[in-house]
């Protein structure tokens, strides 16, 4: 959307930084999510799961999933500080957020 939003050089630099930080954090948290899901699967496969540790493992996995969403959505929030009001409106239209 760089061309559609007519980003300035400074905006491009900020956008790239936000994206790279988001991607690095998301990859790290994504690996934690996969590991948590795998641990849950292994516990079921081995028969070591019970109601108490099932709830604990599910909470842990869902906390990681929430962290992953937070990382992604925080990048969108940060972008709102980079873009002008007109660019935010254009972005919303391009993403089909505006009705």
């Amino acid at each position: 959307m760089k061309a559609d939003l007519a980003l300035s050089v400074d905006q491009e630099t900020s956008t790239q930084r936000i994206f790279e930080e988001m991607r690095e954090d998301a990859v790290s948290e994504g690996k934690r999510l996969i590991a948590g899901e795998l641990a849950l699967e292994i516990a079921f496969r081995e028969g070591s799961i019970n109601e108490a540790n099932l709830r604990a493992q599910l909470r842990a996995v869902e906390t990681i999933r929430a962290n992953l969403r937070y990382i992604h959505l925080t990048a969108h929030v940060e972008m709102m500080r980079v873009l002008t009001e007109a660019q935010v409106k254009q972005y919303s239209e391009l993403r089909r957020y505006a009705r």
Side-chain angles (χ1 to χ4, degrees):
M1 293 185 203
K2 173 175 122 175
D4 293 324
L5 297 175
L7 297 180
S8 71
V9 173
D10 287 344
Q11 287 175 315
E12 283 184 57
T13 301
S14 293
T15 299
Q16 190 63 37
R17 178 191 52 77
I18 290 167
F19 176 78
E20 288 172 5
E21 288 175 5
M22 183 269 307
R23 186 167 91 174
E24 182 179 323
D25 292 346
V27 166
S28 175
E29 201 67 13
K31 288 177 181 177
R32 289 186 63 223
L33 178 62
I34 291 167
E37 291 285 0
L38 181 59
L40 187 59
E41 180 181 329
I42 289 169
F44 267 99
R45 200 176 321 134
E46 293 175 347
S48 63
I49 200 80
N50 60 45
E51 286 185 37
N53 62 21
L54 173 59
R55 184 167 303 281
Q57 285 191 5
L58 287 174
R59 280 190 184 121
V61 167
E62 291 310 314
T63 296
I64 296 167
R65 189 181 320 278
N67 290 342
L68 190 55
R69 289 197 70 202
Y70 177 81
I71 290 165
H72 175 229
L73 295 174
T74 298
H76 285 284
V77 171
E78 287 181 45
M79 280 304 300
M80 296 305 112
R81 292 190 295 257
V82 171
L83 302 175
T84 66
E85 190 175 322
Q87 287 171 319
V88 170
K89 183 178 183 222
Q90 177 71 13
Y91 177 82
S92 293
E93 290 171 3
L94 290 168
R95 297 287 300 192
R96 302 190 193 282
Y97 296 150
R99 295 200 181 257

